[in-house]
Amino acid sequence: MKMLINVAETVVADALRGMAAAHPDLTIDVENRVIVRRDAPVDGKVALVSGGGSGHEPLHGGFVGPGMLSAACPGEVFTSPVPDQMVRAAAAVDSGAGVLFVVKNYTGDVLNFDMAAELAEDEGIQVAKVLVNDDVAVTDSLYTAGRRGTGATLYVEKIAGAAADERQPLERVEAIARQVNENTRSFGVALSACSTPAKGSPTFDLPSGELELGVGIHGEPGRERRPMMTSSEIADYAVDVVLQDLQPRNPVLVLVNGMGATPLLELYGFNAEAQRVLTERGVVVAHTLVGNYVTSLDMAGASVTLCQVDEELLRLWNAPVRTAGLRWGM
Amino acid sequence: MLDAAFLRHWLASAAALVDREAERLTELDSPIGDADHGSNLQRGFAAVVATLEKEAPATPGAVLTLAGRQLISTVGGASGPLYGTLLRRTGKALGDAAEVSEQEFAGALRAGVDAVSALGGAAPGDKTMLDALVPAVDALTESFRAARDAANEGALATTPLQARKGRASYLGERSIGHQDPGATSSALLFDALVETAEAGRE
């Protein structure tokens, strides 16, 4: 597999150096791997800190900025960051109003953020945590590590970030973050495997002519493999699976997310089909986002995320945001 | 009796084995995980060796506690907290003694393994590192060699299991037929233990 890298060991550091050069309103500590909005800590504002393995860009570093995250800590590729990074990030952004950790449900992320929360509290930082677990492809969660955190992360970070910007207190920001997670579901499909720099070749075997239904953002398989389907058939399947689980009564926010290697031409086409299915099912769409937001390196494929919103969540969603990966209203 | 130097040699030997086996661990991790177990542990154990060279704590307990903290700070993923907790809690259980008996070491390692089980919420049979660690500490009261053999057998025995914890659990039935990389790397710790003990006797 050809990759635009130097060596696998420096991939994350090299990316951070490049990100720093492209985004002067971020402070990027390349050595300690912490990305912080330049004006942090912001007086009286709850800080949001997230992080996870690298390879999902723009998640999370691309969502740091006014209206969204205060800081992010990227781990090695597909590997959770370490507690030291999270504590450093929390200390850099805490204004005294407390810090909310946004944690995706993977064993490594959960364990490291738990340890970091303890350490941060030892340093006198008030910490709350929200666990994101929206992936409906994972069944029998009693016997697994539970549902994975995927596309809902973007909604949690944006909506809770807007609440924090309004100077809402930590308990309230945390409650809103939980509300968003509870009202959001995702389902992903892969058309090809991804290749990590450390391995240099595809991490799983997906024959041409087949697709993986219910894939995770690290290429973990989901429900089943089938012969390749059309965009229309995939949208029927994916949207229905999500709706079986969510059954929204209110309008929804729609994220048609690319896994990294699927062009916008295909994503927009897929979105047309997803919107058709939603209309057929009588679901009202309040806002749609199409693009590569929660990616899996060079995996081809897409995921659909639906987030059911009430008036307050919709207002917070529409609030201004200025980050590398998401930006409107300012 | 085991002293701080013995524990340092153990970890250095483990680091060398992890380094040698890194590619195989990553290979095992690619069908059911995300193909980084070898490189992550390699980075962590190299940092452990570097730290111990710099600080050289005086007691077995302090060596393991420092090593565990270093793993948590450098590995990431689930392996960092789990291996870090294993060593840290074993070290804490050893207390301040300058030397410990093999039986005391076995008892402390059991405390470490129990802490890993509590942290990850897993039990033997879930296709995790505990499938090597639990039989190994059971056999450790007998001899280091018995522990090594039990760990390696435990690692091999994960192949037909369905994963119920960690990232492999998301594969459901499709995790069957692959040896668990965490159990495999755990067995390396006991390979290293035998290596260290036998090198000391020569």
Side-chain angles (χ1 to χ4, degrees):
Chain A
M1 187 62 63
K2 287 188 282 187
M3 290 185 190
L4 184 58
I5 63 172
N6 294 315
V7 290
E9 289 72 23
T10 63
V11 162
V12 176
D14 292 345
L16 289 178
R17 286 191 292 119
M19 195 179 179
H23 299 286
D25 49 356
L26 298 174
T27 301
I28 300 186
D29 179 345
V30 176
E31 192 191 338
N32 295 302
R33 301 192 178 183
V34 180
I35 301 163
V36 179
R37 53 184 280 184
R38 188 166 284 283
D39 55 352
V42 180
D43 264 355
K45 191 183 94 65
V46 168
L48 264 70
V49 173
S50 192
S54 293
H56 305 301
E57 291 70 23
L59 190 78
H60 294 275
F63 297 147
V64 174
M68 215 162 166
L69 293 177
S70 312
C73 23
E76 291 292 321
V77 172
F78 287 1
T79 300
S80 136
V82 300
D84 309 35
Q85 286 172 268
M86 300 160 182
V87 174
R88 207 177 278 268
V93 296
D94 180 36
S95 67
V99 176
L100 178 69
F101 283 160
V102 180
V103 186
K104 296 188 302 307
N105 190 29
Y106 297 95
T107 310
D109 291 282
V110 172
L111 295 183
N112 284 285
F113 269 106
D114 279 353
M115 292 193 165
E118 266 186 54
L119 295 171
E121 275 160 7
D122 286 351
E123 291 188 15
I125 301 169
Q126 197 190 351
V127 175
K129 285 175 289 186
V130 59
L131 192 67
V132 182
N133 58 347
D134 55 310
D135 188 353
V136 299
V138 178
T139 51
D140 68 0
S141 59
L142 275 181
Y143 300 104
T144 70
R147 285 184 168 179
R148 300 175 285 227
T150 60
T153 319
L154 179 146
Y155 288 121
V156 170
E157 291 174 358
K158 168 66 187 77
I159 293 173
D165 261 18
E166 291 182 345
R167 300 296 193 273
Q168 301 209 36
L170 183 59
E171 315 82 73
R172 186 69 198 127
V173 175
E174 180 193 357
I176 287 169
R178 276 184 214 288
Q179 188 192 346
V180 174
N181 180 57
E182 282 160 14
N183 283 282
T184 308
R185 301 287 189 281
S186 299
F187 189 85
V189 300
L191 312 183
S192 76
C194 54
S195 300
T196 59
K199 184 151 187 283
S201 56
T203 56
F204 62 100
D205 179 41
L206 183 53
S208 64
E210 290 185 23
L211 85 167
E212 178 81 37
L213 293 163
V215 74
I217 56 172
H218 310 95
E220 320 95 289
R223 295 190 167 186
E224 57 175 322
R225 258 179 207 187
R226 283 200 189 172
M228 191 54 200
M229 297 152 70
T230 63
S231 175
S232 165
E233 289 164 344
I234 296 171
D236 276 314
Y237 186 105
V239 174
D240 272 337
V241 166
V242 172
L243 287 179
Q244 274 161 27
D245 213 276
L246 186 64
Q247 299 173 342
R249 292 156 187 275
N250 290 333
V252 296
L253 310 173
V254 180
L255 169 63
V256 168
N257 172 62
M259 296 294 195
T262 292
L264 271 176
L265 179 76
E266 294 171 39
L267 292 178
Y268 277 124
F270 182 56
N271 181 49
E273 298 299 338
Q275 301 286 330
R276 170 189 56 77
V277 183
L278 288 167
T279 306
E280 285 169 8
R281 304 292 182 273
V283 177
V284 179
V285 175
H287 184 275
T288 300
L289 201 57
V290 179
N292 291 289
Y293 293 100
V294 184
T295 60
S296 306
L297 297 169
D298 60 342
M299 188 155 82
S303 59
V304 176
T305 300
L306 300 183
C307 171
Q308 174 177 225
V309 287
D310 58 16
E311 269 179 36
E312 190 194 12
L313 295 192
L314 184 58
R315 180 179 62 76
L316 292 168
W317 170 254
N318 284 322
V321 58
R322 197 176 76 233
T323 69
L326 205 63
R327 166 183 305 237
W328 55 72
M330 64 198 293
Chain B
M1 296 296 275
L2 313 176
D3 59 7
F6 179 91
L7 276 297
R8 283 205 305 275
H9 288 143
W10 176 40
L11 294 170
S13 167
L17 281 177
V18 165
D19 196 48
R20 204 181 69 201
E21 299 289 326
E23 214 163 300
R24 187 170 73 99
L25 293 175
T26 289
E27 206 53 52
L28 288 174
D29 192 31
S30 79
I32 59 171
D34 45 16
D36 60 7
H37 190 57
S39 47
N40 283 346
L41 280 191
Q42 203 173 18
R43 183 176 62 246
F45 274 93
V48 165
V49 170
T51 301
L52 290 177
E53 275 172 10
K54 216 165 46 190
E55 289 195 33
T59 65
V63 169
L64 293 183
T65 311
L66 179 63
R69 213 169 56 222
Q70 192 61 28
L71 288 180
I72 293 169
S73 297
T74 49
V75 177
S79 310
L82 292 170
Y83 273 109
T85 294
L86 175 69
L87 296 187
R88 236 169 60 83
R89 295 295 280 273
T90 302
K92 284 195 176 294
L94 287 174
D96 300 333
E99 287 192 330
V100 297
S101 70
E102 293 185 7
Q103 292 309 315
E104 284 168 326
F105 177 66
L109 201 55
R110 183 177 295 281
V113 171
D114 288 346
V116 169
S117 176
L119 182 66
D126 287 343
K127 200 178 180 104
T128 70
M129 58 198 286
L130 289 168
D131 287 313
L133 292 177
V134 170
V137 289
D138 286 345
L140 196 57
T141 47
E142 197 183 318
S143 71
F144 286 172
R145 283 178 172 228
R148 174 196 62 190
D149 295 346
N152 281 286
E153 278 166 34
L156 287 175
T158 58
T159 304
L161 299 177
Q162 176 171 338
R164 290 198 288 228
K165 289 289 162 191
R167 206 164 278 169
S169 69
Y170 296 126
L171 275 77
E173 284 177 8
R174 283 196 266 176
S175 62
I176 293 170
H178 301 283
Q179 187 174 325
D180 182 61
T184 308
S185 57
S186 289
L188 292 179
L189 291 181
F190 293 90
D191 291 342
L193 193 58
V194 170
E195 232 179 64
T196 308
E198 296 189 345
R201 286 203 190 98
E202 275 162 16

